[in-house]
Amino acid sequence: SLTVADIAAVARANASDPAGHKIVVLAESWDKPGVLKHIWVACDNSATSAGFLEQGGTIRIYTDNSTVPAVSMSLGDFFCLANRSDVFSTPRVGRADRGSGGSAYRYLHMPFQKYLRVEVESTIATDTLFYGTADYSTLNSFSDLGSQQLAYSIKGRRVTNQAAQTPMTICDFNGAGQIESLVVSFSGEDAGDLGVL
């Protein structure tokens, strides 16, 4: 099992970094099959719903030959954080601290045949101090995984204005597979809705 050491980095805003947003690479592996198992992040600059650990940071996970990431979503959505959610803990995902920044973790089983890259990018206008780890194991042969869960992806969707009393599609997939988990979070239109939701 390999663990990328804690990375203390500044995820720079476009205005302060002439080369553009700084991408922090949490893990990268070549030429060996393996399984990504765990990601943990901590940062400052998350005091609002647009903060880095909420909707202001993006995580992307690339595997094998694909130029399209298997995961591309905000950090908040990846770690299943409802807007400014409080601390919560489950066996797979949770928010360990909130404060002005916060930390979050996610356990997963994401196989790759020959390449893995986990990266985090800032999309906000201020610099953010960021720490993170990504744990993965390498294998002698991809066939050691057997025949279950040989591919993995995470999809996220945000709807800001859903019309009242209309159906909402949560997920829509073609092909064989299984849904590992489903997270749905709602925000009421006004304070009067909070008792219902």
Side-chain angles (χ1 to χ4, degrees):
S1 178
L2 302 172
T3 300
V4 175
D6 288 7
I7 295 174
V10 176
R12 296 194 183 278
N14 199 32
S16 61
D17 186 351
H21 301 328
K22 180 175 181 179
I23 294 175
V24 179
V25 178
L26 294 183
E28 196 158 28
S29 177
W30 296 271
D31 300 327
K32 282 200 88 156
V35 178
L36 174 63
K37 300 193 280 187
H38 171 246
I39 297 173
W40 168 85
V41 298
C43 67
D44 66 354
N45 204 347
S46 286
T48 69
S49 59
F52 185 72
L53 188 56
E54 307 291 332
Q55 296 300 304
T58 299
I59 185 167
R60 293 183 199 89
I61 303 174
Y62 295 89
T63 57
D64 302 325
N65 292 327
S66 180
T67 58
V68 176
V71 175
S72 179
M73 57 198 325
S74 73
L75 287 171
D77 289 349
F78 178 78
F79 290 108
C80 303
L81 308 180
N83 284 349
R84 298 295 296 137
S85 64
D86 208 343
V87 171
F88 72 98
S89 178
T90 75
R92 287 191 180 163
V93 63
R95 183 176 201 142
D97 180 40
R98 185 170 140 182
S100 63
S103 64
Y105 66 89
R106 184 169 191 149
Y107 290 89
L108 60 166
H109 180 89
M110 186 170 193
F112 55 93
Q113 294 188 50
K114 56 187 172 180
Y115 180 71
L116 169 71
R117 178 182 172 98
V118 180
E119 64 182 38
V120 175
E121 181 179 13
S122 175
T123 58
I124 58 178
T126 53
D127 293 350
T128 299
L129 183 62
F130 174 80
Y131 300 86
T133 63
D135 305 326
Y136 62 95
S137 294
T138 57
L139 307 165
N140 291 326
S141 169
F142 193 68
S143 63
D144 291 346
L145 289 174
S147 60
Q148 285 194 326
Q149 197 175 327
L150 298 181
Y152 189 96
S153 66
I154 300 174
K155 306 295 182 195
R157 180 170 181 239
R158 239 172 213 272
V159 178
T160 55
N161 291 307
Q162 177 72 18
Q165 300 181 356
T166 60
M168 176 186 290
T169 301
I170 303 297
C171 60
D172 186 1
F173 298 107
N174 288 323
Q178 67 183 27
I179 294 175
E180 176 196 79
S181 56
L182 180 66
V183 176
V184 180
S185 173
F186 294 96
S187 175
E189 184 176 9
D190 57 50
D193 287 337
L194 296 180
V196 176
L197 297 174

